[in-house]
Amino acid sequence: MKPCEYDEAEVHRQYDDALKRRHDYQGKRYRIGSIIQLAQQGGYKLPWQHSELDNPNEQVNVPAFDLSLSRPIYHPSGMPAREFAGPEITKGVRLFPMEAASIVVALGGVGKTTFITKMAAHIASGKPWGSAPIQQRNVLIFNVEETQGELNRKYGAAVHKWDVEDRNQAEAHLRQISCLGLDARMTRFVERQVDGTQLTDRIIEAAHEFNAEVIFIDHLQGFTSGDLNNSDTATALTREANKIVSQTGAAVVLAAHTKKDNVNAESVENGFVTGSMAFENAVRQVVGIIPMPVKEAEASGLDTIKQNYRKMELPKNSYGPDRVSAYLVKDYIPDFHTITVEPFDLPGATSAFRLSKDDRLRDAIIEHIANEPAVTPQTLDKLSGKDGVFKAGRARVRKMRDALLADGTLRERDATDLDRQKHGLKHQVKKLYEVS
C-alpha cells in the first residue's frame, strides 16, 4: 500500500489477514531489525541520528516566578460566563470553550470529519445550529487524511441547502487545509523524550494570519508519532495543543478515534478516547459521537432506521453539566455523493426519556430559585437528599449549583439588612441566589 493511499480499515484488514496466515507462512520473515535496515535504506533516520536535535546537556533557562502577580483576586460580583465557539446543544451546555482544548471522539466511519465540517461551516457563517444561535468566527480545519478535493466534497454537502449569502459568509471565514502527503506530526521522539515540532508553529502562524478563533485538528492519531497508550506521547501532543491555545486564544478541537472495544457502546464514558487517559485529562471538554443506541431508537420509533441517527454525549465538560446528550441525523446529498449531518430532536419520546437526571436536577434548582425570594446556600442543602425536593444528594446539588453559576444561569448577590428583615433571615446569611 502506498502512503498516499493509506486507509485505516484496509490496514486493519491486512493485519488480521496476516495473523491468520502466520503459522502456515513459509516465506522470508522480517523482524524489527530487518525493518529498520530497510527503512534506513529508504532514507529513514532513527531519532538519535537527527543532526538538529538539541543538546540534552544544555540547561533550559527558566525565569524566576513573579509571586506579586499570583495573588488570588476575589470578584464580589462574580465573573462572566465562559465563552464558547459552538452552539448550545441542550439546556446550559455549549460546545467548544474558547481559550481551551477539546476533543471530538468517535469510531472510524461514524462521522467525525462530517460533523466537524458541518460545525465549522455554521461557526464560519454565523448560521444557527437548529434554533441555537452561533457567533460568527474565523475557522481553520487541518485534516491529515483527506485530499483538498474530498474536503471540498464534505463542505459542499454541508452547505448545499443553504442560501447564497450564508455560503458566501462560510467561504469568507473558513479555510480547510489538507495535510495529506505532509509530515504532519506535531510531536517527535528525541531519544527517549517526546518533543513538539515546527508544525505547531506553522499552525499558530496560519491562525494569526487568518485571525482564526476556532481551530479543528482532524485527527489526533495522524498528527502524533509514538505509542498513543504512552502518557508521554499524550502529554506532548496536548502540550502542543495548549501551546496553540495560549498563543491564539482560540478554541482548539482535536478529533480522535475511540477504542475498538467501544464498537457497540450504548453510551460515552470516561476513557472513550483511544490511547492514554492523559488525552482526556488535559482537555476541558470531550464530545463523543456514537450510533443511536437500540433502546433509544425503539423508544422513539426509529428502530427500523436507527442507522441514520447519531447520539452525542459529553463525558467531560469543565464549564457546565456533563453527561448530557444531543442527536444528529444523517442527510445524504446526491449532488456531492456523500452525507452531511443536521441537529435532531427525538420524536415521540417521553419527557422522562428526553431529560437526563442532570437535566431534571438543573430544571428543579432553577424553578425553585425563580419562585423563592430568598434562596441561600443553606436552603439548597436542606432540600437535597433522596427525600428532599431535588431528589439528589448534597454533593450533586452543589455541583449543579456551581455549574449554573459558572455558565451565568444563576448569579450570587450579597444579602442586605432589608432581605434579612423582609424574609426573616439569620444574621449569618451572607449570600442569596437569583436566576439571571
Side-chain angles (χ1 to χ4, degrees), residues 155-185:
Y155 168 77
V159 302
H160 187 56
K161 296 180 179 180
W162 293 9
D163 59 37
V164 174
E165 183 178 351
D166 285 335
R167 284 201 301 271
N168 288 342
Q169 287 297 314
E171 288 163 21
H173 298 280
L174 172 63
R175 296 293 182 269
Q176 300 181 118
I177 300 167
S178 172
C179 297
L180 190 66
L182 303 178
D183 183 352
R185 294 173 297 173

mmCIF file of all heavy atoms in Angstrom, residues 155-185:
data_model
loop_
_atom_site.group_PDB
_atom_site.id
_atom_site.type_symbol
_atom_site.label_atom_id
_atom_site.label_comp_id
_atom_site.label_asym_id
_atom_site.label_seq_id
_atom_site.Cartn_x
_atom_site.Cartn_y
_atom_site.Cartn_z
ATOM 1 N N TYR A 155 -17.533 19.791 2.475
ATOM 2 C CA TYR A 155 -18.023 21.156 2.668
ATOM 3 C C TYR A 155 -19.232 21.426 1.776
ATOM 4 O O TYR A 155 -20.241 22.003 2.222
ATOM 5 C CB TYR A 155 -16.921 22.169 2.355
ATOM 6 C CG TYR A 155 -17.439 23.589 2.257
ATOM 7 C CD1 TYR A 155 -17.742 24.316 3.404
ATOM 8 C CD2 TYR A 155 -17.673 24.179 1.017
ATOM 9 C CE1 TYR A 155 -18.253 25.602 3.314
ATOM 10 C CE2 TYR A 155 -18.183 25.457 0.921
ATOM 11 C CZ TYR A 155 -18.473 26.168 2.070
ATOM 12 O OH TYR A 155 -18.997 27.438 1.982
ATOM 13 N N GLY A 156 -19.161 20.994 0.519
ATOM 14 C CA GLY A 156 -20.264 21.212 -0.407
ATOM 15 C C GLY A 156 -21.552 20.579 0.091
ATOM 16 O O GLY A 156 -22.633 21.182 0.007
ATOM 17 N N ALA A 157 -21.438 19.350 0.618
ATOM 18 C CA ALA A 157 -22.627 18.684 1.161
ATOM 19 C C ALA A 157 -23.171 19.447 2.362
ATOM 20 O O ALA A 157 -24.384 19.553 2.546
ATOM 21 C CB ALA A 157 -22.281 17.249 1.546
ATOM 22 N N ALA A 158 -22.264 19.988 3.186
ATOM 23 C CA ALA A 158 -22.680 20.683 4.411
ATOM 24 C C ALA A 158 -23.492 21.941 4.119
ATOM 25 O O ALA A 158 -24.396 22.296 4.874
ATOM 26 C CB ALA A 158 -21.458 21.029 5.254
ATOM 27 N N VAL A 159 -23.176 22.634 3.025
ATOM 28 C CA VAL A 159 -23.812 23.936 2.761
ATOM 29 C C VAL A 159 -24.723 23.918 1.534
ATOM 30 O O VAL A 159 -25.227 24.959 1.133
ATOM 31 C CB VAL A 159 -22.728 25.040 2.591
ATOM 32 C CG1 VAL A 159 -21.851 25.121 3.830
ATOM 33 C CG2 VAL A 159 -21.862 24.779 1.351
ATOM 34 N N HIS A 160 -24.937 22.738 0.943
ATOM 35 C CA HIS A 160 -25.660 22.655 -0.335
ATOM 36 C C HIS A 160 -27.071 23.235 -0.242
ATOM 37 O O HIS A 160 -27.569 23.833 -1.207
ATOM 38 C CB HIS A 160 -25.719 21.192 -0.794
ATOM 39 C CG HIS A 160 -26.295 21.012 -2.157
ATOM 40 N ND1 HIS A 160 -25.793 21.652 -3.273
ATOM 41 C CD2 HIS A 160 -27.347 20.260 -2.592
ATOM 42 C CE1 HIS A 160 -26.492 21.303 -4.336
ATOM 43 N NE2 HIS A 160 -27.445 20.465 -3.956
ATOM 44 N N LYS A 161 -27.722 23.085 0.883
ATOM 45 C CA LYS A 161 -29.106 23.547 1.034
ATOM 46 C C LYS A 161 -29.190 24.966 1.602
ATOM 47 O O LYS A 161 -30.284 25.456 1.871
ATOM 48 C CB LYS A 161 -29.881 22.581 1.930
ATOM 49 C CG LYS A 161 -30.014 21.185 1.335
ATOM 50 C CD LYS A 161 -30.784 20.256 2.256
ATOM 51 C CE LYS A 161 -30.920 18.868 1.633
ATOM 52 N NZ LYS A 161 -31.671 17.937 2.523
ATOM 53 N N TRP A 162 -28.062 25.612 1.790
ATOM 54 C CA TRP A 162 -28.047 26.968 2.332
ATOM 55 C C TRP A 162 -28.306 27.983 1.211
ATOM 56 O O TRP A 162 -28.117 27.687 0.019
ATOM 57 C CB TRP A 162 -26.696 27.276 2.970
ATOM 58 C CG TRP A 162 -26.394 26.477 4.202
ATOM 59 C CD1 TRP A 162 -27.091 25.413 4.700
ATOM 60 C CD2 TRP A 162 -25.302 26.680 5.096
ATOM 61 N NE1 TRP A 162 -26.495 24.943 5.845
ATOM 62 C CE2 TRP A 162 -25.404 25.694 6.111
ATOM 63 C CE3 TRP A 162 -24.257 27.586 5.142
ATOM 64 C CZ2 TRP A 162 -24.480 25.611 7.155
ATOM 65 C CZ3 TRP A 162 -23.342 27.505 6.175
ATOM 66 C CH2 TRP A 162 -23.456 26.532 7.179
ATOM 67 N N ASP A 163 -28.670 29.193 1.626
ATOM 68 C CA ASP A 163 -28.787 30.250 0.623
ATOM 69 C C ASP A 163 -27.397 30.808 0.303
ATOM 70 O O ASP A 163 -26.420 30.546 0.999
ATOM 71 C CB ASP A 163 -29.742 31.352 1.078
ATOM 72 C CG ASP A 163 -29.320 32.024 2.376
ATOM 73 O OD1 ASP A 163 -28.107 32.220 2.590
ATOM 74 O OD2 ASP A 163 -30.209 32.353 3.185
ATOM 75 N N VAL A 164 -27.321 31.573 -0.761
ATOM 76 C CA VAL A 164 -26.031 32.058 -1.273
ATOM 77 C C VAL A 164 -25.308 32.923 -0.242
ATOM 78 O O VAL A 164 -24.080 32.819 -0.071
ATOM 79 C CB VAL A 164 -26.238 32.842 -2.584
ATOM 80 C CG1 VAL A 164 -24.927 33.473 -3.048
ATOM 81 C CG2 VAL A 164 -26.791 31.933 -3.660
ATOM 82 N N GLU A 165 -26.042 33.759 0.465
ATOM 83 C CA GLU A 165 -25.408 34.663 1.427
ATOM 84 C C GLU A 165 -24.719 33.882 2.540
ATOM 85 O O GLU A 165 -23.583 34.201 2.915
ATOM 86 C CB GLU A 165 -26.447 35.610 2.026
ATOM 87 C CG GLU A 165 -25.841 36.621 2.992
ATOM 88 C CD GLU A 165 -26.878 37.585 3.549
ATOM 89 O OE1 GLU A 165 -28.023 37.576 3.052
ATOM 90 O OE2 GLU A 165 -26.527 38.338 4.476
ATOM 91 N N ASP A 166 -25.369 32.832 3.067
ATOM 92 C CA ASP A 166 -24.751 32.026 4.119
ATOM 93 C C ASP A 166 -23.519 31.301 3.595
ATOM 94 O O ASP A 166 -22.497 31.211 4.287
ATOM 95 C CB ASP A 166 -25.765 31.018 4.674
ATOM 96 C CG ASP A 166 -26.798 31.660 5.578
ATOM 97 O OD1 ASP A 166 -26.491 32.721 6.165
ATOM 98 O OD2 ASP A 166 -27.912 31.108 5.699
ATOM 99 N N ARG A 167 -23.590 30.781 2.367
ATOM 100 C CA ARG A 167 -22.425 30.102 1.792
ATOM 101 C C ARG A 167 -21.269 31.075 1.599
ATOM 102 O O ARG A 167 -20.105 30.745 1.867
ATOM 103 C CB ARG A 167 -22.788 29.445 0.460
ATOM 104 C CG ARG A 167 -23.573 28.165 0.597
ATOM 105 C CD ARG A 167 -23.459 27.309 -0.660
ATOM 106 N NE ARG A 167 -23.956 28.017 -1.840
ATOM 107 C CZ ARG A 167 -25.217 27.988 -2.241
ATOM 108 N NH1 ARG A 167 -26.120 27.315 -1.566
ATOM 109 N NH2 ARG A 167 -25.580 28.639 -3.332
ATOM 110 N N ASN A 168 -21.573 32.281 1.139
ATOM 111 C CA ASN A 168 -20.510 33.270 0.937
ATOM 112 C C ASN A 168 -19.831 33.615 2.258
ATOM 113 O O ASN A 168 -18.607 33.783 2.316
ATOM 114 C CB ASN A 168 -21.089 34.532 0.298
ATOM 115 C CG ASN A 168 -21.462 34.334 -1.155
ATOM 116 O OD1 ASN A 168 -21.005 33.373 -1.793
ATOM 117 N ND2 ASN A 168 -22.290 35.217 -1.697
ATOM 118 N N GLN A 169 -20.621 33.735 3.318
ATOM 119 C CA GLN A 169 -20.050 34.022 4.627
ATOM 120 C C GLN A 169 -19.154 32.876 5.087
ATOM 121 O O GLN A 169 -18.062 33.097 5.620
ATOM 122 C CB GLN A 169 -21.168 34.260 5.649
ATOM 123 C CG GLN A 169 -21.900 35.582 5.485
ATOM 124 C CD GLN A 169 -20.972 36.769 5.690
ATOM 125 O OE1 GLN A 169 -20.187 36.819 6.635
ATOM 126 N NE2 GLN A 169 -21.055 37.734 4.789
ATOM 127 N N ALA A 170 -19.607 31.650 4.894
ATOM 128 C CA ALA A 170 -18.804 30.491 5.294
ATOM 129 C C ALA A 170 -17.478 30.459 4.543
ATOM 130 O O ALA A 170 -16.414 30.232 5.130
ATOM 131 C CB ALA A 170 -19.590 29.207 5.053
ATOM 132 N N GLU A 171 -17.517 30.695 3.251
ATOM 133 C CA GLU A 171 -16.298 30.626 2.450
ATOM 134 C C GLU A 171 -15.338 31.766 2.769
ATOM 135 O O GLU A 171 -14.126 31.623 2.631
ATOM 136 C CB GLU A 171 -16.668 30.620 0.970
ATOM 137 C CG GLU A 171 -17.296 29.292 0.554
ATOM 138 C CD GLU A 171 -18.037 29.360 -0.760
ATOM 139 O OE1 GLU A 171 -17.748 30.277 -1.546
ATOM 140 O OE2 GLU A 171 -18.915 28.501 -0.983
ATOM 141 N N ALA A 172 -15.885 32.899 3.230
ATOM 142 C CA ALA A 172 -15.019 34.019 3.605
ATOM 143 C C ALA A 172 -14.320 33.775 4.938
ATOM 144 O O ALA A 172 -13.210 34.272 5.162
ATOM 145 C CB ALA A 172 -15.852 35.308 3.682
ATOM 146 N N HIS A 173 -14.937 32.986 5.797
ATOM 147 C CA HIS A 173 -14.426 32.852 7.171
ATOM 148 C C HIS A 173 -13.964 31.441 7.516
ATOM 149 O O HIS A 173 -13.702 31.152 8.686
ATOM 150 C CB HIS A 173 -15.511 33.295 8.162
ATOM 151 C CG HIS A 173 -15.914 34.729 8.017
ATOM 152 N ND1 HIS A 173 -15.168 35.768 8.542
ATOM 153 C CD2 HIS A 173 -16.969 35.306 7.374
ATOM 154 C CE1 HIS A 173 -15.763 36.920 8.246
ATOM 155 N NE2 HIS A 173 -16.847 36.666 7.532
ATOM 156 N N LEU A 174 -13.830 30.568 6.502
ATOM 157 C CA LEU A 174 -13.393 29.186 6.742
ATOM 158 C C LEU A 174 -12.269 28.827 5.792
ATOM 159 O O LEU A 174 -12.307 29.164 4.608
ATOM 160 C CB LEU A 174 -14.577 28.223 6.538
ATOM 161 C CG LEU A 174 -14.266 26.716 6.564
ATOM 162 C CD1 LEU A 174 -13.740 26.289 7.923
ATOM 163 C CD2 LEU A 174 -15.504 25.905 6.187
ATOM 164 N N ARG A 175 -11.256 28.138 6.313
ATOM 165 C CA ARG A 175 -10.184 27.586 5.492
ATOM 166 C C ARG A 175 -9.985 26.119 5.872
ATOM 167 O O ARG A 175 -9.874 25.794 7.052
ATOM 168 C CB ARG A 175 -8.874 28.360 5.678
ATOM 169 C CG ARG A 175 -8.939 29.809 5.208
ATOM 170 C CD ARG A 175 -9.101 29.916 3.711
ATOM 171 N NE ARG A 175 -9.121 31.306 3.252
ATOM 172 C CZ ARG A 175 -10.224 32.047 3.122
ATOM 173 N NH1 ARG A 175 -11.403 31.507 3.434
ATOM 174 N NH2 ARG A 175 -10.163 33.285 2.695
ATOM 175 N N GLN A 176 -9.960 25.248 4.842
ATOM 176 C CA GLN A 176 -9.727 23.817 5.045
ATOM 177 C C GLN A 176 -8.355 23.469 4.477
ATOM 178 O O GLN A 176 -8.100 23.693 3.293
ATOM 179 C CB GLN A 176 -10.800 22.995 4.331
ATOM 180 C CG GLN A 176 -12.216 23.281 4.799
ATOM 181 C CD GLN A 176 -13.230 22.413 4.064
ATOM 182 O OE1 GLN A 176 -13.914 21.617 4.668
ATOM 183 N NE2 GLN A 176 -13.301 22.561 2.751
ATOM 184 N N ILE A 177 -7.496 22.903 5.296
ATOM 185 C CA ILE A 177 -6.113 22.646 4.893
ATOM 186 C C ILE A 177 -5.857 21.148 4.933
ATOM 187 O O ILE A 177 -5.916 20.515 5.993
ATOM 188 C CB ILE A 177 -5.130 23.375 5.832
ATOM 189 C CG1 ILE A 177 -5.403 24.885 5.781
ATOM 190 C CG2 ILE A 177 -3.691 23.064 5.454
ATOM 191 C CD1 ILE A 177 -4.730 25.661 6.865
ATOM 192 N N SER A 178 -5.585 20.560 3.760
ATOM 193 C CA SER A 178 -5.245 19.148 3.688
ATOM 194 C C SER A 178 -3.753 18.966 3.978
ATOM 195 O O SER A 178 -2.908 19.590 3.329
ATOM 196 C CB SER A 178 -5.574 18.590 2.304
ATOM 197 O OG SER A 178 -5.069 17.273 2.176
ATOM 198 N N CYS A 179 -3.462 18.112 4.948
ATOM 199 C CA CYS A 179 -2.067 17.811 5.291
ATOM 200 C C CYS A 179 -1.659 16.453 4.738
ATOM 201 O O CYS A 179 -0.612 15.915 5.131
ATOM 202 C CB CYS A 179 -1.879 17.835 6.806
ATOM 203 S SG CYS A 179 -2.200 19.436 7.568
ATOM 204 N N LEU A 180 -2.487 15.882 3.861
ATOM 205 C CA LEU A 180 -2.182 14.592 3.262
ATOM 206 C C LEU A 180 -0.892 14.694 2.451
ATOM 207 O O LEU A 180 -0.730 15.607 1.640
ATOM 208 C CB LEU A 180 -3.334 14.152 2.362
ATOM 209 C CG LEU A 180 -3.288 12.715 1.841
ATOM 210 C CD1 LEU A 180 -3.448 11.738 2.989
ATOM 211 C CD2 LEU A 180 -4.386 12.502 0.806
ATOM 212 N N GLY A 181 0.026 13.784 2.675
ATOM 213 C CA GLY A 181 1.304 13.813 1.970
ATOM 214 C C GLY A 181 2.382 14.607 2.670
ATOM 215 O O GLY A 181 3.538 14.592 2.240
ATOM 216 N N LEU A 182 2.003 15.335 3.732
ATOM 217 C CA LEU A 182 2.987 16.096 4.503
ATOM 218 C C LEU A 182 3.396 15.322 5.754
ATOM 219 O O LEU A 182 2.674 14.432 6.205
ATOM 220 C CB LEU A 182 2.396 17.442 4.939
ATOM 221 C CG LEU A 182 1.873 18.380 3.851
ATOM 222 C CD1 LEU A 182 1.283 19.625 4.504
ATOM 223 C CD2 LEU A 182 2.993 18.752 2.891
ATOM 224 N N ASP A 183 4.553 15.653 6.310
ATOM 225 C CA ASP A 183 4.911 15.135 7.627
ATOM 226 C C ASP A 183 4.158 16.003 8.637
ATOM 227 O O ASP A 183 4.629 17.052 9.056
ATOM 228 C CB ASP A 183 6.421 15.221 7.848
ATOM 229 C CG ASP A 183 6.842 14.609 9.189
ATOM 230 O OD1 ASP A 183 5.945 14.268 9.995
ATOM 231 O OD2 ASP A 183 8.045 14.488 9.432
ATOM 232 N N ALA A 184 2.961 15.555 8.994
ATOM 233 C CA ALA A 184 2.061 16.383 9.786
ATOM 234 C C ALA A 184 2.119 16.053 11.275
ATOM 235 O O ALA A 184 1.172 16.325 12.014
ATOM 236 C CB ALA A 184 0.627 16.217 9.285
ATOM 237 N N ARG A 185 3.226 15.487 11.713
ATOM 238 C CA ARG A 185 3.338 15.155 13.138
ATOM 239 C C ARG A 185 3.610 16.405 13.965
ATOM 240 O O ARG A 185 4.501 17.186 13.640
ATOM 241 C CB ARG A 185 4.448 14.145 13.355
ATOM 242 C CG ARG A 185 4.174 12.781 12.734
ATOM 243 C CD ARG A 185 5.385 11.891 12.829
ATOM 244 N NE ARG A 185 6.516 12.433 12.062
ATOM 245 C CZ ARG A 185 7.739 11.919 12.080
ATOM 246 N NH1 ARG A 185 7.996 10.853 12.812
ATOM 247 N NH2 ARG A 185 8.693 12.464 11.358
#
